[in-house]
Amino acid sequence: DATNTILDGAGASRVLTLMSSSTVCDYGIEGLTVQNGDALTEIVGGGIAIRTLGDVSISSNHIVNNFGGSGGGVFIVSSNNSSVELNNNTISNNSTASSSSVNGGGGVYIVYGNPVLSNNEISNNSSGGPYGGGGVWIGFTDAILINNVISGNYATHTSYSLEDNGGGGVNVVNGSLVMTGNTIVDNF
């Protein structure tokens, strides 16, 4: 139960950082509430920031009210040979700043890792900068979204290049997307 263990950044810093750039490390996060993180000065991942060459599994968490440059709620950079899975999470009310030149993914920002997102509620997140993806931003990989509810997310629209400001709900750049059984509504 995610309400039993609460990690609270109190608006002062990122809540959770897992970094391994030279060694293959697998990371799993399950059953937590991750809230009130602020990583604007650290650029990425207000709630959770992960850089790894290994696999990532994030399941059954509440990731809420976080703020950062990219990936207000969750920021993940992995490798092309790894897997990234987000399952059964509530990711809501997270945002990225409009002042960052690299931001995107108000709720979730993923680079590489062939991500599979399933049975998540991704709602009321916003991306204020050039990469868009108010709910989800995925880049440079193939992704699968299954049975998610992606609603009420917002991305600012100041330019309309291939990479910039797309997808209030989901923005995928330089990759493919397979979607099955998702509800995607009221995103701007």
Side-chain angles (χ1 to χ4, degrees), residues 106-148:
V108 178
Y109 181 100
I110 300 173
V111 177
Y112 307 124
N114 305 300
V116 176
L117 282 70
S118 59
N119 302 305
N120 298 288
E121 178 186 333
I122 302 170
S123 62
N124 302 312
N125 300 288
S126 64
S127 174
Y131 281 24
V136 179
W137 188 94
I138 298 172
F140 310 99
T141 190
D142 300 327
I144 300 172
L145 274 66
I146 304 168
N147 296 329
N148 299 285

PDB file of all heavy atoms in Angstrom, residues 106-148:
ATOM      1  N   GLY A 106       5.868  16.261 -18.052  1.00  0.00           N
ATOM      2  CA  GLY A 106       5.428  16.723 -16.742  1.00  0.00           C
ATOM      3  C   GLY A 106       5.249  15.584 -15.767  1.00  0.00           C
ATOM      4  O   GLY A 106       5.639  15.679 -14.606  1.00  0.00           O
ATOM      5  N   GLY A 107       4.684  14.476 -16.217  1.00  0.00           N
ATOM      6  CA  GLY A 107       4.514  13.298 -15.376  1.00  0.00           C
ATOM      7  C   GLY A 107       5.695  12.354 -15.470  1.00  0.00           C
ATOM      8  O   GLY A 107       6.307  11.989 -14.472  1.00  0.00           O
ATOM      9  N   VAL A 108       6.039  11.950 -16.712  1.00  0.00           N
ATOM     10  CA  VAL A 108       7.074  10.937 -16.948  1.00  0.00           C
ATOM     11  C   VAL A 108       7.933  11.348 -18.134  1.00  0.00           C
ATOM     12  O   VAL A 108       7.413  11.766 -19.173  1.00  0.00           O
ATOM     13  CB  VAL A 108       6.433   9.560 -17.256  1.00  0.00           C
ATOM     14  CG1 VAL A 108       7.489   8.517 -17.559  1.00  0.00           C
ATOM     15  CG2 VAL A 108       5.531   9.107 -16.118  1.00  0.00           C
ATOM     16  N   TYR A 109       9.257  11.183 -17.992  1.00  0.00           N
ATOM     17  CA  TYR A 109      10.235  11.447 -19.056  1.00  0.00           C
ATOM     18  C   TYR A 109      11.148  10.235 -19.142  1.00  0.00           C
ATOM     19  O   TYR A 109      11.805   9.878 -18.157  1.00  0.00           O
ATOM     20  CB  TYR A 109      11.032  12.693 -18.709  1.00  0.00           C
ATOM     21  CG  TYR A 109      12.080  13.135 -19.695  1.00  0.00           C
ATOM     22  CD1 TYR A 109      11.821  14.175 -20.585  1.00  0.00           C
ATOM     23  CD2 TYR A 109      13.344  12.560 -19.729  1.00  0.00           C
ATOM     24  CE1 TYR A 109      12.786  14.627 -21.473  1.00  0.00           C
ATOM     25  CE2 TYR A 109      14.311  13.001 -20.619  1.00  0.00           C
ATOM     26  CZ  TYR A 109      14.030  14.029 -21.487  1.00  0.00           C
ATOM     27  OH  TYR A 109      14.989  14.485 -22.374  1.00  0.00           O
ATOM     28  N   ILE A 110      11.167   9.566 -20.308  1.00  0.00           N
ATOM     29  CA  ILE A 110      11.970   8.345 -20.471  1.00  0.00           C
ATOM     30  C   ILE A 110      12.790   8.439 -21.753  1.00  0.00           C
ATOM     31  O   ILE A 110      12.252   8.722 -22.821  1.00  0.00           O
ATOM     32  CB  ILE A 110      11.090   7.084 -20.533  1.00  0.00           C
ATOM     33  CG1 ILE A 110      10.269   6.935 -19.251  1.00  0.00           C
ATOM     34  CG2 ILE A 110      11.952   5.837 -20.766  1.00  0.00           C
ATOM     35  CD1 ILE A 110       9.249   5.808 -19.307  1.00  0.00           C
ATOM     36  N   VAL A 111      14.093   8.153 -21.633  1.00  0.00           N
ATOM     37  CA  VAL A 111      14.975   8.034 -22.791  1.00  0.00           C
ATOM     38  C   VAL A 111      15.530   6.614 -22.800  1.00  0.00           C
ATOM     39  O   VAL A 111      16.082   6.152 -21.799  1.00  0.00           O
ATOM     40  CB  VAL A 111      16.130   9.059 -22.727  1.00  0.00           C
ATOM     41  CG1 VAL A 111      17.073   8.872 -23.905  1.00  0.00           C
ATOM     42  CG2 VAL A 111      15.583  10.479 -22.707  1.00  0.00           C
ATOM     43  N   TYR A 112      15.375   5.924 -23.931  1.00  0.00           N
ATOM     44  CA  TYR A 112      15.818   4.541 -24.129  1.00  0.00           C
ATOM     45  C   TYR A 112      15.023   3.575 -23.242  1.00  0.00           C
ATOM     46  O   TYR A 112      14.063   3.946 -22.596  1.00  0.00           O
ATOM     47  CB  TYR A 112      17.320   4.379 -23.899  1.00  0.00           C
ATOM     48  CG  TYR A 112      18.187   5.322 -24.701  1.00  0.00           C
ATOM     49  CD1 TYR A 112      19.095   6.156 -24.063  1.00  0.00           C
ATOM     50  CD2 TYR A 112      18.088   5.393 -26.080  1.00  0.00           C
ATOM     51  CE1 TYR A 112      19.894   7.030 -24.776  1.00  0.00           C
ATOM     52  CE2 TYR A 112      18.882   6.265 -26.811  1.00  0.00           C
ATOM     53  CZ  TYR A 112      19.782   7.078 -26.156  1.00  0.00           C
ATOM     54  OH  TYR A 112      20.563   7.940 -26.863  1.00  0.00           O
ATOM     55  N   GLY A 113      15.418   2.310 -23.237  1.00  0.00           N
ATOM     56  CA  GLY A 113      14.842   1.331 -22.326  1.00  0.00           C
ATOM     57  C   GLY A 113      13.610   0.599 -22.811  1.00  0.00           C
ATOM     58  O   GLY A 113      13.050  -0.203 -22.065  1.00  0.00           O
ATOM     59  N   ASN A 114      13.142   0.853 -24.036  1.00  0.00           N
ATOM     60  CA  ASN A 114      11.977   0.139 -24.552  1.00  0.00           C
ATOM     61  C   ASN A 114      10.855   0.056 -23.517  1.00  0.00           C
ATOM     62  O   ASN A 114      10.432  -1.021 -23.111  1.00  0.00           O
ATOM     63  CB  ASN A 114      12.375  -1.269 -25.017  1.00  0.00           C
ATOM     64  CG  ASN A 114      13.499  -1.207 -26.026  1.00  0.00           C
ATOM     65  OD1 ASN A 114      13.355  -0.606 -27.079  1.00  0.00           O
ATOM     66  ND2 ASN A 114      14.644  -1.788 -25.679  1.00  0.00           N
ATOM     67  N   PRO A 115      10.355   1.198 -23.058  1.00  0.00           N
ATOM     68  CA  PRO A 115       9.427   1.205 -21.928  1.00  0.00           C
ATOM     69  C   PRO A 115       8.072   0.578 -22.228  1.00  0.00           C
ATOM     70  O   PRO A 115       7.549   0.683 -23.330  1.00  0.00           O
ATOM     71  CB  PRO A 115       9.268   2.691 -21.615  1.00  0.00           C
ATOM     72  CG  PRO A 115       9.579   3.386 -22.896  1.00  0.00           C
ATOM     73  CD  PRO A 115      10.610   2.539 -23.578  1.00  0.00           C
ATOM     74  N   VAL A 116       7.531  -0.063 -21.180  1.00  0.00           N
ATOM     75  CA  VAL A 116       6.165  -0.564 -21.186  1.00  0.00           C
ATOM     76  C   VAL A 116       5.463   0.103 -20.013  1.00  0.00           C
ATOM     77  O   VAL A 116       5.859  -0.073 -18.858  1.00  0.00           O
ATOM     78  CB  VAL A 116       6.110  -2.097 -21.047  1.00  0.00           C
ATOM     79  CG1 VAL A 116       4.664  -2.574 -20.957  1.00  0.00           C
ATOM     80  CG2 VAL A 116       6.845  -2.771 -22.195  1.00  0.00           C
ATOM     81  N   LEU A 117       4.437   0.879 -20.311  1.00  0.00           N
ATOM     82  CA  LEU A 117       3.624   1.529 -19.288  1.00  0.00           C
ATOM     83  C   LEU A 117       2.260   0.858 -19.301  1.00  0.00           C
ATOM     84  O   LEU A 117       1.588   0.843 -20.340  1.00  0.00           O
ATOM     85  CB  LEU A 117       3.476   3.026 -19.565  1.00  0.00           C
ATOM     86  CG  LEU A 117       4.663   3.924 -19.207  1.00  0.00           C
ATOM     87  CD1 LEU A 117       5.847   3.681 -20.133  1.00  0.00           C
ATOM     88  CD2 LEU A 117       4.257   5.373 -19.267  1.00  0.00           C
ATOM     89  N   SER A 118       1.861   0.292 -18.159  1.00  0.00           N
ATOM     90  CA  SER A 118       0.587  -0.417 -18.123  1.00  0.00           C
ATOM     91  C   SER A 118      -0.163  -0.123 -16.826  1.00  0.00           C
ATOM     92  O   SER A 118       0.431  -0.016 -15.757  1.00  0.00           O
ATOM     93  CB  SER A 118       0.804  -1.927 -18.265  1.00  0.00           C
ATOM     94  OG  SER A 118       1.632  -2.421 -17.239  1.00  0.00           O
ATOM     95  N   ASN A 119      -1.472   0.034 -16.977  1.00  0.00           N
ATOM     96  CA  ASN A 119      -2.392   0.197 -15.852  1.00  0.00           C
ATOM     97  C   ASN A 119      -2.040   1.369 -14.938  1.00  0.00           C
ATOM     98  O   ASN A 119      -2.239   1.297 -13.724  1.00  0.00           O
ATOM     99  CB  ASN A 119      -2.463  -1.100 -15.035  1.00  0.00           C
ATOM    100  CG  ASN A 119      -2.911  -2.267 -15.884  1.00  0.00           C
ATOM    101  OD1 ASN A 119      -3.959  -2.213 -16.526  1.00  0.00           O
ATOM    102  ND2 ASN A 119      -2.101  -3.300 -15.943  1.00  0.00           N
ATOM    103  N   ASN A 120      -1.515   2.447 -15.502  1.00  0.00           N
ATOM    104  CA  ASN A 120      -1.197   3.640 -14.733  1.00  0.00           C
ATOM    105  C   ASN A 120      -2.287   4.693 -14.901  1.00  0.00           C
ATOM    106  O   ASN A 120      -2.956   4.742 -15.932  1.00  0.00           O
ATOM    107  CB  ASN A 120       0.128   4.258 -15.221  1.00  0.00           C
ATOM    108  CG  ASN A 120       1.288   3.318 -15.039  1.00  0.00           C
ATOM    109  OD1 ASN A 120       1.732   3.080 -13.936  1.00  0.00           O
ATOM    110  ND2 ASN A 120       1.776   2.770 -16.147  1.00  0.00           N
ATOM    111  N   GLU A 121      -2.438   5.532 -13.894  1.00  0.00           N
ATOM    112  CA  GLU A 121      -3.245   6.743 -14.032  1.00  0.00           C
ATOM    113  C   GLU A 121      -2.261   7.911 -14.074  1.00  0.00           C
ATOM    114  O   GLU A 121      -1.558   8.172 -13.093  1.00  0.00           O
ATOM    115  CB  GLU A 121      -4.195   6.926 -12.870  1.00  0.00           C
ATOM    116  CG  GLU A 121      -5.007   8.211 -13.003  1.00  0.00           C
ATOM    117  CD  GLU A 121      -5.859   8.512 -11.796  1.00  0.00           C
ATOM    118  OE1 GLU A 121      -6.259   7.571 -11.081  1.00  0.00           O
ATOM    119  OE2 GLU A 121      -6.118   9.701 -11.571  1.00  0.00           O
ATOM    120  N   ILE A 122      -2.217   8.584 -15.210  1.00  0.00           N
ATOM    121  CA  ILE A 122      -1.303   9.708 -15.423  1.00  0.00           C
ATOM    122  C   ILE A 122      -2.174  10.914 -15.704  1.00  0.00           C
ATOM    123  O   ILE A 122      -2.723  11.061 -16.794  1.00  0.00           O
ATOM    124  CB  ILE A 122      -0.329   9.401 -16.580  1.00  0.00           C
ATOM    125  CG1 ILE A 122       0.461   8.116 -16.267  1.00  0.00           C
ATOM    126  CG2 ILE A 122       0.603  10.580 -16.815  1.00  0.00           C
ATOM    127  CD1 ILE A 122       1.281   7.582 -17.417  1.00  0.00           C
ATOM    128  N   SER A 123      -2.325  11.776 -14.686  1.00  0.00           N
ATOM    129  CA  SER A 123      -3.329  12.831 -14.806  1.00  0.00           C
ATOM    130  C   SER A 123      -2.868  14.157 -14.211  1.00  0.00           C
ATOM    131  O   SER A 123      -2.094  14.193 -13.255  1.00  0.00           O
ATOM    132  CB  SER A 123      -4.625  12.391 -14.120  1.00  0.00           C
ATOM    133  OG  SER A 123      -4.405  12.168 -12.744  1.00  0.00           O
ATOM    134  N   ASN A 124      -3.368  15.224 -14.823  1.00  0.00           N
ATOM    135  CA  ASN A 124      -3.191  16.590 -14.325  1.00  0.00           C
ATOM    136  C   ASN A 124      -1.727  16.984 -14.157  1.00  0.00           C
ATOM    137  O   ASN A 124      -1.358  17.669 -13.213  1.00  0.00           O
ATOM    138  CB  ASN A 124      -3.969  16.793 -13.021  1.00  0.00           C
ATOM    139  CG  ASN A 124      -5.438  16.517 -13.213  1.00  0.00           C
ATOM    140  OD1 ASN A 124      -6.047  16.997 -14.164  1.00  0.00           O
ATOM    141  ND2 ASN A 124      -6.002  15.706 -12.346  1.00  0.00           N
ATOM    142  N   ASN A 125      -0.876  16.526 -15.080  1.00  0.00           N
ATOM    143  CA  ASN A 125       0.524  16.915 -15.109  1.00  0.00           C
ATOM    144  C   ASN A 125       0.704  17.982 -16.173  1.00  0.00           C
ATOM    145  O   ASN A 125      -0.096  18.085 -17.105  1.00  0.00           O
ATOM    146  CB  ASN A 125       1.398  15.699 -15.436  1.00  0.00           C
ATOM    147  CG  ASN A 125       1.241  14.594 -14.421  1.00  0.00           C
ATOM    148  OD1 ASN A 125       1.699  14.706 -13.302  1.00  0.00           O
ATOM    149  ND2 ASN A 125       0.572  13.514 -14.810  1.00  0.00           N
ATOM    150  N   SER A 126       1.782  18.765 -16.087  1.00  0.00           N
ATOM    151  CA  SER A 126       2.009  19.790 -17.109  1.00  0.00           C
ATOM    152  C   SER A 126       3.481  19.926 -17.445  1.00  0.00           C
ATOM    153  O   SER A 126       4.350  19.753 -16.590  1.00  0.00           O
ATOM    154  CB  SER A 126       1.457  21.137 -16.649  1.00  0.00           C
ATOM    155  OG  SER A 126       2.158  21.589 -15.516  1.00  0.00           O
ATOM    156  N   SER A 127       3.731  20.218 -18.722  1.00  0.00           N
ATOM    157  CA  SER A 127       5.077  20.468 -19.210  1.00  0.00           C
ATOM    158  C   SER A 127       5.121  21.885 -19.753  1.00  0.00           C
ATOM    159  O   SER A 127       4.397  22.214 -20.680  1.00  0.00           O
ATOM    160  CB  SER A 127       5.432  19.470 -20.313  1.00  0.00           C
ATOM    161  OG  SER A 127       6.678  19.796 -20.868  1.00  0.00           O
ATOM    162  N   GLY A 128       5.984  22.704 -19.167  1.00  0.00           N
ATOM    163  CA  GLY A 128       6.026  24.104 -19.547  1.00  0.00           C
ATOM    164  C   GLY A 128       7.045  24.459 -20.594  1.00  0.00           C
ATOM    165  O   GLY A 128       7.121  25.591 -21.016  1.00  0.00           O
ATOM    166  N   GLY A 129       7.865  23.526 -21.027  1.00  0.00           N
ATOM    167  CA  GLY A 129       8.973  23.878 -21.912  1.00  0.00           C
ATOM    168  C   GLY A 129       8.911  23.245 -23.277  1.00  0.00           C
ATOM    169  O   GLY A 129       7.892  22.715 -23.691  1.00  0.00           O
ATOM    170  N   PRO A 130      10.016  23.269 -23.982  1.00  0.00           N
ATOM    171  CA  PRO A 130      10.025  22.970 -25.409  1.00  0.00           C
ATOM    172  C   PRO A 130       9.759  21.530 -25.811  1.00  0.00           C
ATOM    173  O   PRO A 130       9.425  21.279 -26.948  1.00  0.00           O
ATOM    174  CB  PRO A 130      11.427  23.392 -25.842  1.00  0.00           C
ATOM    175  CG  PRO A 130      12.251  23.319 -24.626  1.00  0.00           C
ATOM    176  CD  PRO A 130      11.333  23.691 -23.501  1.00  0.00           C
ATOM    177  N   TYR A 131       9.879  20.539 -24.932  1.00  0.00           N
ATOM    178  CA  TYR A 131       9.734  19.160 -25.372  1.00  0.00           C
ATOM    179  C   TYR A 131       8.322  18.600 -25.240  1.00  0.00           C
ATOM    180  O   TYR A 131       8.043  17.521 -25.723  1.00  0.00           O
ATOM    181  CB  TYR A 131      10.713  18.257 -24.632  1.00  0.00           C
ATOM    182  CG  TYR A 131      12.132  18.308 -25.153  1.00  0.00           C
ATOM    183  CD1 TYR A 131      12.613  19.407 -25.854  1.00  0.00           C
ATOM    184  CD2 TYR A 131      13.000  17.266 -24.937  1.00  0.00           C
ATOM    185  CE1 TYR A 131      13.905  19.461 -26.311  1.00  0.00           C
ATOM    186  CE2 TYR A 131      14.301  17.303 -25.396  1.00  0.00           C
ATOM    187  CZ  TYR A 131      14.746  18.401 -26.085  1.00  0.00           C
ATOM    188  OH  TYR A 131      16.025  18.440 -26.543  1.00  0.00           O
ATOM    189  N   GLY A 132       7.431  19.299 -24.586  1.00  0.00           N
ATOM    190  CA  GLY A 132       6.045  18.848 -24.508  1.00  0.00           C
ATOM    191  C   GLY A 132       5.862  17.595 -23.683  1.00  0.00           C
ATOM    192  O   GLY A 132       6.621  17.316 -22.772  1.00  0.00           O
ATOM    193  N   GLY A 133       4.846  16.822 -24.038  1.00  0.00           N
ATOM    194  CA  GLY A 133       4.537  15.617 -23.281  1.00  0.00           C
ATOM    195  C   GLY A 133       4.060  15.939 -21.879  1.00  0.00           C
ATOM    196  O   GLY A 133       4.706  15.577 -20.903  1.00  0.00           O
ATOM    197  N   GLY A 134       2.929  16.627 -21.779  1.00  0.00           N
ATOM    198  CA  GLY A 134       2.416  16.996 -20.469  1.00  0.00           C
ATOM    199  C   GLY A 134       2.286  15.810 -19.537  1.00  0.00           C
ATOM    200  O   GLY A 134       2.651  15.878 -18.369  1.00  0.00           O
ATOM    201  N   GLY A 135       1.782  14.687 -20.042  1.00  0.00           N
ATOM    202  CA  GLY A 135       1.685  13.462 -19.246  1.00  0.00           C
ATOM    203  C   GLY A 135       2.940  12.624 -19.353  1.00  0.00           C
ATOM    204  O   GLY A 135       3.563  12.281 -18.357  1.00  0.00           O
ATOM    205  N   VAL A 136       3.328  12.298 -20.604  1.00  0.00           N
ATOM    206  CA  VAL A 136       4.452  11.386 -20.856  1.00  0.00           C
ATOM    207  C   VAL A 136       5.269  11.895 -22.032  1.00  0.00           C
ATOM    208  O   VAL A 136       4.708  12.225 -23.083  1.00  0.00           O
ATOM    209  CB  VAL A 136       3.946   9.962 -21.178  1.00  0.00           C
ATOM    210  CG1 VAL A 136       5.099   9.027 -21.473  1.00  0.00           C
ATOM    211  CG2 VAL A 136       3.069   9.420 -20.065  1.00  0.00           C
ATOM    212  N   TRP A 137       6.604  11.919 -21.882  1.00  0.00           N
ATOM    213  CA  TRP A 137       7.537  12.170 -22.978  1.00  0.00           C
ATOM    214  C   TRP A 137       8.466  10.977 -23.065  1.00  0.00           C
ATOM    215  O   TRP A 137       9.081  10.580 -22.075  1.00  0.00           O
ATOM    216  CB  TRP A 137       8.359  13.435 -22.740  1.00  0.00           C
ATOM    217  CG  TRP A 137       9.207  13.840 -23.916  1.00  0.00           C
ATOM    218  CD1 TRP A 137       8.869  14.727 -24.891  1.00  0.00           C
ATOM    219  CD2 TRP A 137      10.526  13.387 -24.250  1.00  0.00           C
ATOM    220  NE1 TRP A 137       9.884  14.851 -25.810  1.00  0.00           N
ATOM    221  CE2 TRP A 137      10.920  14.034 -25.439  1.00  0.00           C
ATOM    222  CE3 TRP A 137      11.410  12.488 -23.672  1.00  0.00           C
ATOM    223  CZ2 TRP A 137      12.148  13.822 -26.053  1.00  0.00           C
ATOM    224  CZ3 TRP A 137      12.639  12.263 -24.284  1.00  0.00           C
ATOM    225  CH2 TRP A 137      12.999  12.937 -25.453  1.00  0.00           C
ATOM    226  N   ILE A 138       8.545  10.364 -24.268  1.00  0.00           N
ATOM    227  CA  ILE A 138       9.409   9.206 -24.503  1.00  0.00           C
ATOM    228  C   ILE A 138      10.257   9.497 -25.724  1.00  0.00           C
ATOM    229  O   ILE A 138       9.735   9.910 -26.765  1.00  0.00           O
ATOM    230  CB  ILE A 138       8.586   7.925 -24.710  1.00  0.00           C
ATOM    231  CG1 ILE A 138       7.771   7.603 -23.455  1.00  0.00           C
ATOM    232  CG2 ILE A 138       9.498   6.759 -25.083  1.00  0.00           C
ATOM    233  CD1 ILE A 138       6.777   6.475 -23.634  1.00  0.00           C
ATOM    234  N   GLY A 139      11.584   9.263 -25.618  1.00  0.00           N
ATOM    235  CA  GLY A 139      12.457   9.558 -26.739  1.00  0.00           C
ATOM    236  C   GLY A 139      13.463   8.458 -27.041  1.00  0.00           C
ATOM    237  O   GLY A 139      13.951   7.773 -26.158  1.00  0.00           O
ATOM    238  N   PHE A 140      13.726   8.299 -28.345  1.00  0.00           N
ATOM    239  CA  PHE A 140      14.815   7.479 -28.858  1.00  0.00           C
ATOM    240  C   PHE A 140      14.674   6.001 -28.513  1.00  0.00           C
ATOM    241  O   PHE A 140      15.660   5.310 -28.263  1.00  0.00           O
ATOM    242  CB  PHE A 140      16.170   8.036 -28.378  1.00  0.00           C
ATOM    243  CG  PHE A 140      16.291   9.503 -28.641  1.00  0.00           C
ATOM    244  CD1 PHE A 140      16.045  10.416 -27.629  1.00  0.00           C
ATOM    245  CD2 PHE A 140      16.575   9.975 -29.914  1.00  0.00           C
ATOM    246  CE1 PHE A 140      16.112  11.779 -27.878  1.00  0.00           C
ATOM    247  CE2 PHE A 140      16.644  11.333 -30.176  1.00  0.00           C
ATOM    248  CZ  PHE A 140      16.413  12.237 -29.157  1.00  0.00           C
ATOM    249  N   THR A 141      13.424   5.526 -28.502  1.00  0.00           N
ATOM    250  CA  THR A 141      13.156   4.129 -28.197  1.00  0.00           C
ATOM    251  C   THR A 141      11.746   3.774 -28.647  1.00  0.00           C
ATOM    252  O   THR A 141      10.954   4.648 -28.984  1.00  0.00           O
ATOM    253  CB  THR A 141      13.319   3.872 -26.681  1.00  0.00           C
ATOM    254  OG1 THR A 141      13.287   2.469 -26.437  1.00  0.00           O
ATOM    255  CG2 THR A 141      12.221   4.557 -25.871  1.00  0.00           C
ATOM    256  N   ASP A 142      11.447   2.497 -28.662  1.00  0.00           N
ATOM    257  CA  ASP A 142      10.110   2.019 -28.962  1.00  0.00           C
ATOM    258  C   ASP A 142       9.372   1.795 -27.648  1.00  0.00           C
ATOM    259  O   ASP A 142       9.956   1.299 -26.683  1.00  0.00           O
ATOM    260  CB  ASP A 142      10.171   0.725 -29.770  1.00  0.00           C
ATOM    261  CG  ASP A 142      10.912   0.921 -31.086  1.00  0.00           C
ATOM    262  OD1 ASP A 142      10.826   2.027 -31.654  1.00  0.00           O
ATOM    263  OD2 ASP A 142      11.579  -0.025 -31.530  1.00  0.00           O
ATOM    264  N   ALA A 143       8.099   2.164 -27.603  1.00  0.00           N
ATOM    265  CA  ALA A 143       7.343   2.114 -26.354  1.00  0.00           C
ATOM    266  C   ALA A 143       6.009   1.411 -26.562  1.00  0.00           C
ATOM    267  O   ALA A 143       5.458   1.397 -27.656  1.00  0.00           O
ATOM    268  CB  ALA A 143       7.110   3.523 -25.832  1.00  0.00           C
ATOM    269  N   ILE A 144       5.501   0.841 -25.460  1.00  0.00           N
ATOM    270  CA  ILE A 144       4.190   0.196 -25.451  1.00  0.00           C
ATOM    271  C   ILE A 144       3.392   0.772 -24.290  1.00  0.00           C
ATOM    272  O   ILE A 144       3.882   0.809 -23.159  1.00  0.00           O
ATOM    273  CB  ILE A 144       4.325  -1.333 -25.298  1.00  0.00           C
ATOM    274  CG1 ILE A 144       5.132  -1.920 -26.464  1.00  0.00           C
ATOM    275  CG2 ILE A 144       2.947  -1.986 -25.203  1.00  0.00           C
ATOM    276  CD1 ILE A 144       5.474  -3.395 -26.295  1.00  0.00           C
ATOM    277  N   LEU A 145       2.168   1.216 -24.572  1.00  0.00           N
ATOM    278  CA  LEU A 145       1.254   1.709 -23.542  1.00  0.00           C
ATOM    279  C   LEU A 145       0.013   0.830 -23.550  1.00  0.00           C
ATOM    280  O   LEU A 145      -0.648   0.681 -24.582  1.00  0.00           O
ATOM    281  CB  LEU A 145       0.859   3.165 -23.811  1.00  0.00           C
ATOM    282  CG  LEU A 145       1.791   4.252 -23.272  1.00  0.00           C
ATOM    283  CD1 LEU A 145       3.135   4.206 -23.960  1.00  0.00           C
ATOM    284  CD2 LEU A 145       1.166   5.611 -23.437  1.00  0.00           C
ATOM    285  N   ILE A 146      -0.289   0.228 -22.386  1.00  0.00           N
ATOM    286  CA  ILE A 146      -1.399  -0.715 -22.274  1.00  0.00           C
ATOM    287  C   ILE A 146      -2.285  -0.331 -21.094  1.00  0.00           C
ATOM    288  O   ILE A 146      -1.810  -0.233 -19.961  1.00  0.00           O
ATOM    289  CB  ILE A 146      -0.882  -2.160 -22.059  1.00  0.00           C
ATOM    290  CG1 ILE A 146       0.079  -2.574 -23.171  1.00  0.00           C
ATOM    291  CG2 ILE A 146      -2.049  -3.140 -21.953  1.00  0.00           C
ATOM    292  CD1 ILE A 146       0.836  -3.854 -22.872  1.00  0.00           C
ATOM    293  N   ASN A 147      -3.572  -0.136 -21.353  1.00  0.00           N
ATOM    294  CA  ASN A 147      -4.590   0.063 -20.311  1.00  0.00           C
ATOM    295  C   ASN A 147      -4.275   1.190 -19.331  1.00  0.00           C
ATOM    296  O   ASN A 147      -4.536   1.070 -18.130  1.00  0.00           O
ATOM    297  CB  ASN A 147      -4.828  -1.241 -19.534  1.00  0.00           C
ATOM    298  CG  ASN A 147      -5.394  -2.329 -20.412  1.00  0.00           C
ATOM    299  OD1 ASN A 147      -6.113  -2.063 -21.366  1.00  0.00           O
ATOM    300  ND2 ASN A 147      -5.054  -3.564 -20.111  1.00  0.00           N
ATOM    301  N   ASN A 148      -3.715   2.286 -19.810  1.00  0.00           N
ATOM    302  CA  ASN A 148      -3.464   3.450 -18.972  1.00  0.00           C
ATOM    303  C   ASN A 148      -4.602   4.449 -19.114  1.00  0.00           C
ATOM    304  O   ASN A 148      -5.271   4.498 -20.141  1.00  0.00           O
ATOM    305  CB  ASN A 148      -2.157   4.142 -19.398  1.00  0.00           C
ATOM    306  CG  ASN A 148      -0.958   3.234 -19.258  1.00  0.00           C
ATOM    307  OD1 ASN A 148      -0.494   2.990 -18.160  1.00  0.00           O
ATOM    308  ND2 ASN A 148      -0.476   2.722 -20.380  1.00  0.00           N
TER     309      ASN A 148
END
